[in-house]
Amino acid sequence: MRNLRNTSWRILESPQQLELTASGWDLESGSIICAFGPSETSPLLQLSRWHPSSKEERPSLVNITSWDAPCPIQDVKCDSVLDIHHFSDSSTISVVLAAGDIYVVREFPADDEEKIEIVGSVDIGISAVAWSPDEELLTIVTRADTLLYMTRDFDNVSTATLTHDDLQTSKHVSVGWGKKETQFTGKGAKALRDPTMPEKVDEGLKSPRDDQSTTISWRGDGAYVAVNSIQASPRRVIRVYSREGALDGVSEPVDGLESALSWRPAGNLLAGIQRLRDRVDVVFFERNGLRHGQFSLRLSIADMNEWAVSISLSWNVDSSILAVSFPDRVQLWTMGNYHWYLKQELFIPAEMTGAHYLDFRWNPEQPLVCTIGSSQSLYLSDFVSHVEAGTTISPEDYGIVSVIDGNEVKLTPFRVANIPPPMALQDIKVNHSVTNTAVYGKGSETKIAVLERSRLSIFAWNLKMKPIPPPSILASAEVQITGKLQQVVFVDPENVLLLASDGRDSSVHALRLMSSRLEYLSHSLVPCAKGIFVNYSPIDATPYLQFAIANRLATNPALLDPTGELVSDSWTEVTTFPKEVQHLKIVDVQTDTAAHTPYAANSIETQTIAFGLTSNGSLFANERRLAKDCTSFLVTSAHLVYTSSQNLLKFVHMVTVEELEIPPDTPELDERYTFIKDIVLFVDQIGKIEHIDLFLSQLREEDVSKTMYQDTIRRRKRDLDLMNSSHASVLSKQDDRSKVNRICDAFLTVLQRKASTNLQNIITSHVCKYPQDLNGGLLEVAKLQTNHPEEAEKAVEHICFLADVNRLYDNALGLYDLDLTLLVAQQSQKDPREYLPFLQKLQELSSVRKRFTIDDYLCRYSKALASLHALNNFEDFKLYVVKHTLYKDALHLCRHKEDSLKEVTRLYAECLMGNTKYKEAGIAFEYVLDFASAYEAYRLAHLWKEALFCATLIPLPKESLQSSARAIAASQQELKDFYSAAIIHQDYLRDVESAARLYCKGYFFADALRILSLDNRSDDLEKVVDVGLVEAMATTTELLAECKAQINAQVPRLRELRIKKEEEPLAFYDGDVNESVDIPDNISLAATDASTTGGSLFTRYTNRTGTVGTNATRKTSKNKRREERKRARGKKGSVYEEEYLVNSIGRLMDRVNAVREEVESLVVGLLRRGMRERARAVEGAMVEVVGLCKECVREVFLVEDEGVKREEKVAGGAVNRPNGADGVMWDSVEVAQAKREVPVIKDFGRLSLLGGSMIGDA
């Protein structure tokens, strides 16, 4: 069971004369938006930004804006901030005040925008507010008990009123159970009482501590929202509404229910608080409002009256931790094996007790990061989930695990006592909640250190005695250290170290166990330390002290001087990880240099390797990343052992960092063919039929040589190639079939010769194929029915054991063997009244009719249609075809009967029309000589030639034909097919002028000139052709001008981005090496499905973190659309801008190529009509744009020189595309890395008459 260890404790103190009233996360920059004011003495509301990652000694606030917010409600002394929400994609902040005003603050307003804008107001005031997880809806509960739904643009889309009548819509049914008048109270009443019924039924009475407030909480996927409020009646109610505003459910009555409410992001439970006379419980509800368990907060009566007077709840983003907030502390609870553990209790100094409860907020994307706010300070806290275990060095390896649960530490040595949690072999109980523990397992007895809020206790535990006694206390003392105690570690049996933080700097304190007391020795500052790790030299057992400082690892071999002082001036940096790690292990590896340098003087060298695991599953060995999908790891003297997100346990031989090799994802040698070759030997050696059946039934498609039994010993590439090539011809013939089917077929070949003894194995081989070959197994049974009926019954019993008997019944029926079907049915749970009449009816039918009835019953409609066709009942045949859409089968069956074929074709044509397949429908109607229907189908398919042909064969009257032609021509114009529209006007409407205008619209100027001259209408050349040329010129020059402007603007910007990416890749991807993000070497990324928590592998680019696994639904709903909008927009300065620019320029080049022929036609047309200067201008503009495209195409699409190849290397593990916003980023990086298809810019030759080469010669 994992504990929570605090790794960071940062403090922001409020500026003088300002009170912190609210805070919110800015996920884009990793900062926190803080609101100060308004207060009773000042209406000023100030928004500021705190960057906790700042390297300043005292990180300061950056002021965003401020304004006066007086309270318009007379009965309220001052306004208050209910919610602050930052929108990363638009750099805006929404602020909702209790008096009803809703503000939008724009950090970078446009020229026509205000920096501060009131976008809405609720005159009556607001009781509660909450944004949906996908940031698309804002829910507000007014002081008039009205629920409002607003869009992101603050438009009201739905309204619901919270009334007492809502309780009548409850789906709960009460029949009076538990009421006094329904209870039997005579003698023996207790013995007769139903134990499943409660002794008392709640009526929904209010808690004496109820604060009358309202709380809103959304489900993680944003589909439902819950409102906890109190009405005029004395009952507090939790209502559940759908995303559309419809009431979905109401909670059942619960006495003492308070205002706290938090919906678990996973969606299965709503958490609330129930205050009883002698205890306080966290109670859970389902979405329908029914209770679903609870656990007690372990409070005494005094605690309930002193500091547990007001309570709030909050789940973290991956649903693993429930935070319970009180006015002066926050408790973090986790659940395992149906037991709730109190893992941490965070105390806030007494000067902050002015608020009803602390403003506690989880990070929306990092599950183990939170803030705690009060009127004077804001605390930022990071945690890491880890297992506190004893040594793994034999013989002291007892497998000790210590589990924190409030003021108890549960201890179990799994080597000698295999006790599942929440039970334990022994418990250590102290006075206050435990912060951290440490286990030291060397020597005669094991020592356990227990760190409380301000006290350290040392216990001894003798595991060699039988039975094992409980731990005994050696020493306990108050620790007078300023700041928060975070971690305790053993250096040796007598010395321990404490890591503490005062909110700005970290310090290490040394204490020594002296007889039965603890003596304070010394301390040393270690800025920004995240953890202490003690390891021991394998040579002389010297303790090494390591500190994880951000992403660096420092070590001190001297540790303590003889006087007990920490040697603080001899720290040596072991390594710098590419990013911050949360789990760390150091090992000294001894290597024989003589293996590489035969004449080396000293052949033994020691290399220190630091293994670190990040929050998103990256496993590092010093600076080298070994895997991206690691969930946990362990280091022994011989191996690195780690688990992956694919539920694999991998072993890596402990060598130098350069030689560490992760087991590959592809097998080094596939030797399956050797097994298939030796199946005869396998069957003979196994012998027992049951064992062969067991082997066959356990076959899976998984290749265990790739997964379970991967070889971790490095083989030389030439040996691997030699082994693979020797078997390539054999394996290539087998790869196209299922592995399981190949093995089963091989067994069948061998077992057919032993049918008398291994019939059961033959049936198993058929059934274990993928998919199951049930027909093959049933045919083996059918062979036995005549000669060996007793064996047939045993065989049926066996096959019914292996497969679903209902499927076997259908397959036996499909073989048309009624005796076999009856035999299978008798082995099933079917009622004989169900199948016997049916089988008897089949027995009476003719052979063909029986086949039809069986195939129809089994939904094998094609086979049934063939049988129906053989019965020569064409009317039933047509009805069956239409009912089951069997037109293709019917056409095949009727291919030799022309009359039947035409009837079926007409039916098919009508079906095609209904399915909008107009082209095929028209052909079918034309085949059956129905030209009217064919005309309509062709018209809808925009096939104007075929449509007008059929129209003439109907035949249509001349007026109707012209009307149809005119309508078809109009539709072709809408499709921009001006050439076809012109032909229709010319041939069918005899409208030469309109045809010429359409030719000009399509840039077919030669055709326009031709038809006008053909019709002796040279007078119309000026008003038709010349006008068309001028209009085309205007359109073309405008297009070319836009193309030129776009190239001149986008190509330099693209060049600037690429230079920035090459010179400063971290700045380009908007990252910081000290943040908990991933840093690739060559921007080649692989995702992880690890069920670890924290940042994802794409946070280097999006500056967002989150989880993949338990929170996948919420990530997708909240972030994917936001990232897709950012990617499609290609906003300037974003990581998507480069991809957007490349795609935009590529589309421009395609457009230039597409208009080349049109421009050529335009230039020739202008010159033919004597418009020389206009022709020259168009030609010059086109030549200039084509030249610009050719100049930049190699730069834009990164055309590489011949012989230069791009190499992409991805370290260890499978590559899986992530979900949600990370998937959008994945697609963008994939596009950037993929080899693009470079557009070919077609040449545009200039006319020699205008001073250039001929177009045709270009």
Side-chain angles (χ1 to χ4, degrees), residues 260 397 429 471 799 847 917 1010 1106:
D397 181 11
K429 193 167 185 178
I799 196 171
S847 176
K917 296 181 179 180
R1010 179 184 60 83

Side-chain angles (χ1 to χ4, degrees), residues 800-1103:
C800 289
F801 170 75
L802 295 175
D804 181 7
V805 69
N806 293 317
R807 287 187 57 200
L808 287 170
Y809 175 83
D810 291 342
N811 281 70
L813 193 61
L815 294 173
Y816 312 114
D817 189 337
L818 300 184
D819 293 335
L820 178 62
T821 304
L822 180 61
L823 193 60
V824 171
Q826 289 172 345
Q827 297 295 326
S828 70
Q829 299 296 321
K830 291 179 178 288
D831 189 339
R833 290 175 294 182
E834 295 179 11
Y835 61 83
L836 281 180
F838 177 64
L839 295 179
Q840 290 172 355
K841 179 182 177 182
L842 291 176
Q843 195 71 36
E844 299 170 357
L845 299 176
S846 64
S847 176
V848 178
R849 177 61 71 173
K850 178 173 66 176
R851 285 175 175 268
F852 166 76
T853 306
I854 291 175
D855 290 329
D856 181 66
Y857 173 79
L858 297 176
C859 300
R860 302 191 303 192
Y861 301 122
S862 295
K863 287 187 175 182
L865 184 67
S867 300
L868 194 59
H869 182 262
L871 292 173
N872 294 321
N873 190 337
F874 191 64
E875 293 301 322
D876 290 346
F877 179 83
K878 290 193 297 181
L879 292 174
Y880 201 79
V881 168
V882 174
K883 180 180 180 181
H884 297 292
T885 321
L886 301 171
Y887 301 102
K888 296 179 182 179
D889 299 289
L891 290 173
H892 177 74
L893 292 171
C894 299
R895 63 188 181 279
H896 299 303
K897 297 180 179 180
E898 187 64 24
D899 295 339
S900 300
L901 181 62
K902 286 189 175 183
E903 288 194 47
V904 173
T905 303
R906 176 178 289 279
L907 293 175
Y908 193 18
E910 294 172 354
C911 177
L912 291 170
M913 284 290 288
N915 293 329
T916 67
K917 296 181 179 180
Y918 302 119
K919 178 181 177 180
E920 295 183 44
I923 296 172
F925 280 125
E926 192 173 354
Y927 177 80
V928 298
L929 305 179
D930 186 353
F931 296 111
S933 300
Y935 160 76
E936 183 63 23
Y938 284 136
R939 186 185 64 80
L940 293 172
H942 301 290
L943 299 173
W944 66 273
K945 296 178 183 178
E946 292 82 352
L948 291 175
F949 167 76
C950 291
T952 57
L953 294 181
I954 293 177
L956 286 177
K958 183 178 180 180
E959 295 78 8
S960 300
L961 181 61
Q962 289 185 344
S963 176
S964 299
R966 191 172 292 106
I968 292 174
S971 68
Q972 295 305 119
Q973 291 183 56
E974 291 179 1
L975 297 174
K976 305 299 181 183
D977 187 1
F978 298 108
Y979 192 86
S980 297
I983 292 177
I984 296 173
H985 276 275
Q986 179 183 350
D987 294 346
Y988 288 89
L989 300 176
R990 307 300 179 186
D991 187 353
V992 176
E993 181 178 340
S994 297
R997 293 185 189 278
L998 290 169
Y999 277 131
C1000 291
K1001 281 189 176 182
Y1003 287 75
F1004 302 106
F1005 301 105
D1007 290 282
L1009 293 169
R1010 179 184 60 83
I1011 65 170
L1012 287 174
S1013 63
L1014 187 64
D1015 204 39
N1016 296 322
R1017 300 182 63 171
S1018 56
D1019 295 340
D1020 292 337
L1021 292 177
E1022 291 186 4
K1023 72 174 184 179
V1024 177
V1025 178
D1026 291 357
V1027 171
L1029 284 168
V1030 172
E1031 291 177 353
M1033 176 190 172
T1035 303
T1036 302
T1037 53
E1038 182 181 359
L1039 170 65
L1040 295 176
E1042 290 176 356
C1043 292
K1044 178 182 175 181
Q1046 182 179 341
I1047 292 175
N1048 290 334
Q1050 290 184 339
V1051 172
R1053 175 58 181 168
L1054 182 62
R1055 187 182 302 123
E1056 177 187 348
L1057 285 174
R1058 287 175 173 168
I1059 291 173
K1060 180 180 178 181
K1061 181 172 69 172
E1062 184 175 354
E1063 294 178 350
E1064 299 180 75
L1066 299 185
F1068 176 79
Y1069 289 109
D1070 193 23
D1072 188 334
V1073 294
N1074 290 327
E1075 293 181 2
S1076 179
V1077 292
D1078 195 14
I1079 301 180
D1081 298 328
N1082 59 356
I1083 319 304
S1084 179
L1085 300 181
T1088 177
D1089 289 331
S1091 58
T1092 55
T1093 59
S1096 71
L1097 289 175
F1098 283 92
T1099 54
R1100 158 55 58 210
Y1101 308 99
T1102 62
N1103 228 7

